[in-house]
Amino acid sequence: MKANFCFDFVILVADHDASVRKYETLLGIEPIELDPASLPTPNTRCTVFPLWNEGDRGMVLSLVTPGDADSVQGRQLARRGEGLALFGIDVDDVEAVVEQGRRAGVEWMDETPTPYDYGRMVFARPSSTHDVPFFFSTHRPGWWAKTLAGGKS
């Protein structure tokens, strides 16, 4: 099993609307705010900027503002401030990447993939990946179209 491509750079931001305006101006890309119901964490705002699009897959820069200060992302924002929070890699088989990671010395937040509207994902412990906050996802068919539609099917 090998990684397919990077599909997401997630940046935590405190002021969502100001950050969206900044990146829209910087990138010259129309932002898409995802439906909160499509996100794995309740009360979260996520706006994506599609960086490339190959029809059935692509890559985004995501701006995320946690709605709950006690969530993992809320605590991370309070502790570390704004900045890169996750680096997403698409894989064909998320269970296989857990096993490969284990053999490579990668530790996982939870070895059981977390389901979400776009597929299933696992999070590596950054301390075991040179302080890079990776997550790996096996996507459902239609995930990219759903992303481009703002998280609506």
Side-chain angles (χ1 to χ4, degrees):
M1 203 293 309
K2 68 177 187 68
N4 295 322
F5 56 92
C6 171
F7 73 92
D8 200 359
F9 296 96
V10 179
I11 299 173
L12 285 181
V13 297
D15 185 333
H16 199 84
D17 294 328
S19 298
V20 168
R21 287 190 300 274
K22 174 187 259 185
Y23 281 91
E24 182 176 13
T25 300
L26 172 66
L27 300 172
I29 297 172
E30 184 74 24
I32 301 167
E33 184 155 3
L34 298 182
D35 181 352
S38 74
L39 302 174
T41 308
N43 303 316
T44 298
R45 287 185 71 190
C46 179
T47 298
V48 299
F49 294 86
L51 299 173
W52 61 263
N53 177 354
E54 290 193 5
D56 66 342
R57 63 185 182 174
M59 179 170 54
V60 296
L61 177 101
S62 298
L63 301 179
V64 173
T65 304
D68 181 359
D70 289 328
S71 68
V72 170
Q73 292 173 335
R75 290 190 306 271
Q76 182 178 350
L77 184 61
R79 186 177 65 253
R80 295 178 130 179
E82 297 178 305
L84 182 65
L86 290 169
F87 185 79
I89 304 290
D90 177 85
V91 296
D92 290 330
D93 184 344
V94 75
E95 283 86 1
V97 85
V98 168
E99 179 56 35
Q100 282 179 211
R102 192 179 309 119
R103 289 193 311 267
V106 172
E107 298 171 6
W108 302 99
M109 302 298 243
D110 185 343
E111 291 189 1
T112 303
T114 302
Y116 69 122
D117 270 13
Y118 302 90
R120 295 178 315 119
M121 60 187 166
V122 292
F123 298 87
R125 288 193 184 280
S127 60
S128 70
T129 55
H130 301 96
D131 209 29
V132 177
F134 285 109
F135 77 103
F136 297 84
S137 181
T138 297
H139 289 99
R140 291 186 176 129
W143 73 275
W144 182 240
K146 183 173 184 164
T147 298
L148 296 177
K152 297 177 173 72
S153 298

